[in-house]
Amino acid sequence: MSAEETASRLPRLRLDELLGELQSRIDAARGTRDRVQSLLEAVMSVGRELDLAQALRRIVEAAAVLVDARYAALGVIGPDGERLSQFLTVGLTQDQIDEIGLLPSGHGILGELIRHPESLRLTELSSHPASYGFPAHHPPMRTFLGVPVRIRGQVFGNLYLTDKHGGQDFDADDEAVIATLAVAAGVAIDNARLYEEAQRRQAWLQAGAEITRSLLSGSERLEVLRLIAQRAMEITGSVLADVTVPVVGTDQLVVELALGADASARLGLTIPVNGTLSGAAFSGAAPETSTDLRTDLRFPAGPRRFEGMGSAVAVPLGTAGGQVHGVLLLARAVGEPVFSIEETGPLLGFADQAALAMELAVRRSDADQLALLEDRDRIARDLHDLAIQRLFATGMTLQSATRFIEHPGASERVLRAIGDLDDTIKIIRSTIFGLRAREAEGGQTLRSRAARAVGEAQSSLGFGPRLSMEGLLDTDVPQQVAEDVMAVLTEALSNVVRHARATRVGVALQATAKEVVLTVSDDGVGLPSGGRRSGLANLAERAEGLGGSFEALGPAEGGTRLVWRAPLDRA
C-alpha cells in the first residue's frame, strides 16, 4: 500500500473508532434509560399494592428482573431482631423448596446482613467467612448481592439476589438499582402495613360488637366461645384455634373447643401446664408466642398436634381479677408471619370477652340452680300439704266404708285399694324427702351428682350427652352403691372422651324396686378387637363386688353400649 493510500485511510479508521464509541455510548445510554424505566415501573407497581403479602411478593420479583438475577429472596426479620420470621423466594420451584425443607432462619451470609445491615456484593459467595455451605438439595449459587430494606429508619428485612444470568458479577449499578428499589419498597411496605392495621382494627371492632350482642342475648357459653375463636381465626389469618380450660384438681388443661385443621382429633385432649405454649400462658397469666411450634424447644410436652403449623400465640382468658379461666391458642401455617405485638393487643380484648362469657355462664348456672331448688321446695310443700292429706283422707274414708260392704270380693278390692294408697303415700313422702335432702345437702344426692358429671363431660366431648333418670335414686339407692354408680359413670364417660370419637352419647340411670341400672351408649367407633380393656374390667369388678353384673355390647347400628347393674337389697 502506498503512502498516499495509507494517509487517506487513517481518517476513516479514526472515524470508525469514533462512530463505534458513539454507538457504545448510545447503547449504554439506551440501557441506562431502559433500566431507569424498568426501575420506575417497578417502584410504581410496588407502591400501588396495599395487600402486604402481595407487596412483598412484587418486591422480590421486581428485584430479580431489575438485575437479571436467577434467584431472589426477601427475608423479613422477626421481633427478636436476630432471626428471619418470613422468607419469600423467586427462582426456586415448589418441588425444590419442599426438598430443601425448613426455610432459612438467618444463619451464614443471610445472618451477616442482619448483624451488619449494609449492602454486600460478593463475586464468590462461598469465600466469605460467614458462609458455611448450603443444605442438601439446595441449588449451587455463586455471585451474591444483599441490600437491607428499612422502614422509618428501622431494618424491616433484606433483599438477597444470587447468580446473575450470563455468569456476570453484580456491579455497582446493580447495587444502586436495588438500593433504590429497597427505599421504595420500605415506603410501600409501610403503607401496606398501615392499611392492613386499619382493616384489622375495623374487623376487631365489628367482631367485638357481634360478640357483645351474643353475650347480651343470653347465648350459651360454648356458642359464644366458638364465635370468639372463629372470628379470631379469621382476623389473624390462623388455620387453627383451641380453647383450653383447667381440669380441676390437676396440673392439666383440656381442649374444650377446637376449630380448624383436624379439630375432631384435638377436641378433648388433655395437655400438661408445664412444657406447653397454652400452659405457659395459663400459668403466667400473659400472652406467649412461638415462631415455630414444631421446633420450639421451650414447649416439648403434650401430644404432637401441630403438624404443618408455624407461628402461634396463646392468650389467657380473663386476667383482670387475677384468675385465668382458660387459654385461647391460635396457630398459622408454616411460612406465614409470626404474631406481632400489634396483633396480640386486640387479642387480649377478645380474650376478656371470652372470660366474660365463661363468668356469665357460671352466674346463669347458679341462678338456674337456685330457681330449681326453690321450685323443688315448693313442689315438696304442695305434695305434703295437699296431695298426701287428700290421699290419707281418701284412704280413711274407704277404710271406714269397708264394714258396710258385705260382698267378700268387693271388700277385698277396697282393702287392696287402701293398701295401694298407703304405698303411694310412702312414695310421695320419699320423693319429698329426696327433694328436700337435695337442697339441704347442696346437691350431693345421686341425681345431682350424676347430672353434674354428665354436664362436666360436655366440655370434653364438645356436645351435651342426653341424660334420663328414673326411680327413687336419692332414697332407695344406698350410699355405697351410689359411690360405685358415680365411679362407673365417670369412667364410662372418660372412655367415650378418650376413645369413642362419638357425636352422640346417652346416659340412663334407673332405680327399680330391686336394682339400680346404669346404661351409657354412644355412636362412636365401637369396642376395639383385642385392644386394652382394663377400664372395662374395673367396671365389671365393681358390679361383681356388689353382686351385680356388667355388659359391654356392640349394637348392630354401631357404637358401644355399657350396661351396669347392682342389686339394692345386698348393700
Side-chain angles (χ1 to χ4, degrees):
M1 182 181 296
S2 65
E4 191 174 308
E5 290 175 340
T6 302
S8 64
R9 185 161 183 169
L10 285 175
R12 289 199 300 271
L13 290 174
R14 284 196 295 272
L15 180 60
D16 289 342
E17 290 175 0
L18 290 173
L19 288 174
E21 184 179 353
L22 177 61
Q23 183 64 44
S24 64
R25 292 191 178 187
I26 291 173
D27 292 340
R30 184 180 293 115
T32 301
R33 182 201 65 187
D34 292 343
R35 173 170 276 195
V36 170
Q37 182 66 30
S38 298
L39 177 60
L40 289 175
E41 290 176 355
V43 169
M44 293 178 64
S45 174
V46 169
R48 284 194 300 265
E49 188 60 63
L50 287 177
D51 181 84
L52 182 58
Q54 290 298 323
L56 297 179
R57 174 60 60 183
R58 283 182 181 271
I59 291 167
V60 182
E61 293 171 349
V65 171
L66 284 173
V67 297
D68 199 23
R70 186 184 303 276
Y71 305 107
L74 173 61
V76 180
I77 300 175
D80 59 3
E82 298 179 356
R83 298 198 305 172
L84 298 177
S85 63
Q86 195 175 359
F87 197 76
L88 293 86
T89 62
V90 167
L92 295 174
T93 66
Q94 188 59 48
D95 290 340
Q96 287 177 308
I97 294 173
D98 293 340
E99 285 184 346
I100 293 172
L102 293 176
L103 294 174
S105 59
H107 300 292
I109 292 295
L110 305 187
E112 181 70 15
L113 262 76
I114 297 176
R115 294 184 293 272
H116 305 97
E118 300 292 339
S119 298
L120 177 65
R121 274 190 293 135
L122 298 174
T123 300
E124 184 59 54
L125 198 155
S126 60
S127 64
H128 194 278
S131 176
Y132 59 82
F134 298 107
H137 308 293
H138 196 288
M141 296 179 180
R142 190 179 65 83
T143 57
F144 176 84
L145 172 60
V147 176
V149 177
R150 289 180 169 86
I151 298 177
R152 302 183 187 183
Q154 298 294 322
V155 178
F156 170 81
N158 297 299
L159 277 168
Y160 307 106
L161 301 115
T162 60
D163 286 10
K164 192 168 184 175
H165 286 95
Q168 300 177 12
D169 294 339
F170 293 107
D171 56 23
D173 289 341
D174 295 326
E175 182 179 333
V177 167
I178 296 301
T180 304
L181 177 66
V183 173
V187 175
I189 292 169
D190 193 28
N191 289 337
R193 289 170 71 178
L194 291 173
Y195 178 76
E196 186 178 77
E197 184 179 344
Q199 293 291 96
R200 186 166 54 242
R201 187 180 295 112
Q202 180 65 23
W204 282 122
L205 289 174
Q206 292 176 350
E210 183 182 5
I211 292 163
T212 300
R213 288 194 300 270
S214 180
L215 283 169
L216 294 177
S217 66
S219 299
E220 293 293 330
R221 170 176 170 273
L222 269 179
E223 184 180 341
V224 177
L225 287 179
R226 183 177 297 276
L227 178 61
I228 290 172
Q230 185 68 48
R231 293 295 177 266
M233 277 183 63
E234 294 169 357
I235 295 173
T236 60
S238 302
V239 294
L240 174 151
D242 283 353
V243 175
T244 54
V245 295
V247 180
V248 179
T250 70
D251 59 349
Q252 292 188 320
L253 304 172
V254 61
V255 180
E256 182 180 24
L257 177 68
L259 298 178
D262 203 15
S264 58
R266 302 195 314 277
L267 187 65
L269 281 176
T270 56
I271 62 172
V273 171
N274 295 326
T276 60
L277 183 64
S278 296
F282 178 80
S283 58
E288 288 283 347
T289 59
S290 173
T291 56
D292 192 334
L293 273 176
R294 302 165 303 163
T295 59
D296 201 324
L297 299 179
R298 296 175 299 161
F299 311 116
R304 306 313 301 168
R305 53 191 173 118
F306 300 118
E307 293 302 323
M309 299 297 106
S311 62
V313 60
V315 183
L317 304 181
T319 59
Q323 180 181 5
V324 179
H325 299 281
V327 177
L328 170 63
L329 181 139
L330 299 168
R332 288 172 173 159
V334 173
E336 293 296 314
V338 300
F339 286 88
S340 63
I341 298 176
E342 290 77 12
E343 290 176 301
T344 55
L347 273 175
L348 282 173
F350 238 41
D352 288 340
Q353 288 184 305
L356 178 60
M358 292 179 169
E359 191 68 25
L360 284 176
V362 173
R363 295 294 178 263
R364 287 196 193 105
S365 177
D366 291 343
D368 291 343
Q369 183 70 14
L370 181 60
L372 181 62
L373 292 175
E374 290 176 349
D375 200 37
R376 284 174 177 158
D377 188 50
R378 179 188 58 77
I379 293 171
R381 279 198 313 271
D382 290 346
L383 286 173
H384 182 272
D385 297 340
L386 301 175
I388 288 182
Q389 301 303 328
R390 297 195 63 170
L391 287 173
F392 186 75
T394 301
M396 294 293 291
T397 301
L398 288 175
Q399 192 170 17
S400 63
T402 54
R403 61 178 179 268
F404 301 109
I405 301 174
E406 298 180 354
H407 192 283
S411 178
E412 181 182 350
R413 289 187 179 183
V414 171
L415 291 173
R416 190 182 308 125
I418 293 172
D420 290 341
L421 286 174
D422 287 340
D423 290 340
T424 302
I425 290 172
K426 290 178 182 178
I427 291 174
I428 294 175
R429 279 179 171 162
S430 66
T431 302
I432 293 172
F433 175 79
L435 289 171
R436 286 181 169 166
R438 181 191 303 258
E439 182 177 8
E441 297 171 13
Q444 295 303 313
T445 59
L446 179 57
R447 278 180 179 270
S448 62
R449 293 170 67 189
R452 190 182 305 113
V454 171
E456 290 173 353
Q458 178 176 345
S459 62
S460 300
L461 289 168
F463 57 87
R466 185 178 65 256
L467 173 64
S468 65
M469 293 185 282
E470 183 181 344
L472 303 177
L473 295 167
D474 295 338
T475 56
D476 286 5
V477 179
Q479 183 66 27
Q480 178 187 349
V481 178
E483 293 298 329
D484 282 312
V485 168
M486 288 308 304
V488 171
L489 176 59
T490 303
E491 177 69 20
L493 290 174
S494 177
N495 287 338
V496 173
V497 170
R498 291 198 304 266
H499 308 301
R501 299 201 292 275
T503 59
R504 292 193 307 275
V505 177
V507 177
L509 184 57
Q510 179 186 25
T512 67
K514 296 182 178 180
E515 63 179 358
V516 60
V517 183
L518 172 64
T519 305
V520 180
S521 57
D522 65 70
D523 65 345
V525 297
L527 295 170
S529 57
R532 291 183 57 191
R533 299 196 178 189
S534 57
L536 299 183
N538 292 336
L539 305 188
E541 289 177 6
R542 285 185 179 274
E544 292 170 0
L546 296 173
S549 62
F550 172 72
E551 292 180 293
L553 308 173
E557 62 272 17
T560 305
R561 187 166 178 264
L562 307 180
V563 182
W564 190 90
R565 302 172 182 270
L568 301 178
D569 55 354
R570 287 190 46 168

